[in-house]
Amino acid sequence: MTVHFHEEDLPADVLAPGPVAVDTETMGLITPRDRLCVVQIADGRGDEHLVRFGPGSDYAAPNLRAVLADPDRLKLYHFARFDIAAIRHYLGVVAAPVYCTKTASRLIRTYTDRHGLKELVRELLGQEISKQQQSSDWGAPELSDAQKDYAASDVRYLHRLRTELDQRLAREGRTALAQACFDFLPARAELDLAGWPEIDIFAHV
Ligand code: MN
């Protein structure tokens, strides 16, 4: 299990075929203002890749973009809505098809309002992860080892979570509803970027 660190793009052919876990770290929560600093990606075989973008990056990243835009590669996220918007805005690709562990959790873990990654990993996989570096300076010239470990841990468990969540979605008869929600997520991210961030366009008033 190794964390690989790259500047400005993913090397070619470092990922095995199949679904990839994806996460992003940014300067904050307002996507057009707060630049994309790191994209983490993992194929589920045990290694994680971190791609760091410097200030003033052109976000060309042809290898990373090709993986993210590949229609045959499922992308696993935890809270896909945010990551898809950041990737769309900075890297210019729609990183679909989508699976979102947070959305799946909301559809089946109806007995709790705690749908954070830490809670999911603890309850479904019995492991502990630290979220201590979540609100740190991802634009710093040197990322600390703690930041790199944290960033990698955000994609480390998503393949295994998907397996657990899929079993529960099937058990509760919500597989098709979850898929419909996943398929809508790129449009939800587009609404965020286009000026409807906190407005529910399906609401009556
Ligand atoms: Mn993260």
Side-chain angles (χ1 to χ4, degrees):
M1 194 169 78
T2 311
V3 180
H4 303 270
F5 186 74
H6 314 287
E7 300 278 4
E8 301 293 328
D9 198 7
L10 195 66
D13 306 319
V14 292
L15 299 170
V20 284
V22 178
D23 187 39
T24 63
E25 304 300 336
T26 66
M27 288 301 291
L29 297 179
I30 301 174
T31 296
R33 182 192 70 185
D34 301 328
R35 69 182 171 90
L36 175 65
C37 300
V38 183
V39 176
Q40 304 100 286
I41 193 158
D43 61 16
R45 268 81 169 170
D47 287 4
E48 294 89 24
H49 294 269
L50 314 184
V51 180
R52 197 264 293 271
F53 296 98
S57 174
D58 63 0
Y59 296 101
N63 295 328
L64 178 61
R65 287 170 56 170
V67 171
L68 293 173
D70 184 349
D72 295 324
R73 234 194 231 276
L74 182 66
K75 266 65 74 173
L76 317 176
Y77 307 88
H78 184 75
F79 198 50
R81 178 177 168 181
F82 181 82
D83 300 307
I84 292 169
I87 290 165
R88 171 83 179 82
H89 185 77
Y90 288 96
L91 290 163
V93 294
V94 177
V98 173
Y99 187 101
C100 179
T101 54
K102 187 166 206 162
T103 303
S105 176
R106 284 191 188 277
L107 286 171
I108 45 161
R109 293 174 66 252
T110 41
Y111 47 83
T112 179
D113 58 1
R114 305 191 69 171
H115 300 285
L117 182 62
K118 187 181 170 72
E119 305 298 324
L120 272 187
V121 169
R122 179 188 290 144
E123 185 185 309
L124 301 184
L125 304 178
Q127 289 185 264
E128 290 295 329
I129 56 170
S130 165
K131 296 299 280 185
Q132 224 170 5
Q133 297 296 319
Q134 185 165 34
S135 308
S136 63
D137 181 6
W138 294 101
E142 295 285 334
L143 295 184
S144 67
D145 288 344
Q147 282 179 306
K148 289 177 184 174
D149 284 347
Y150 165 78
S153 74
D154 270 357
V155 289
R156 187 168 295 149
Y157 300 97
L158 299 184
H159 290 79
R160 280 188 277 156
L161 282 179
R162 178 195 176 203
T163 303
E164 296 294 323
L165 290 163
D166 276 350
Q167 287 172 9
R168 293 178 197 219
L169 285 166
R171 187 187 80 197
E172 299 302 324
R174 295 192 183 131
T175 301
L177 181 58
Q179 188 60 54
C181 293
F182 301 153
D183 292 343
F184 176 67
L185 275 161
R188 180 58 265 189
E190 202 66 37
L191 287 166
D192 286 340
L193 292 172
W196 291 269
E198 288 311 323
I199 297 163
D200 176 4
I201 60 164
F202 302 110
H204 182 206
V205 286

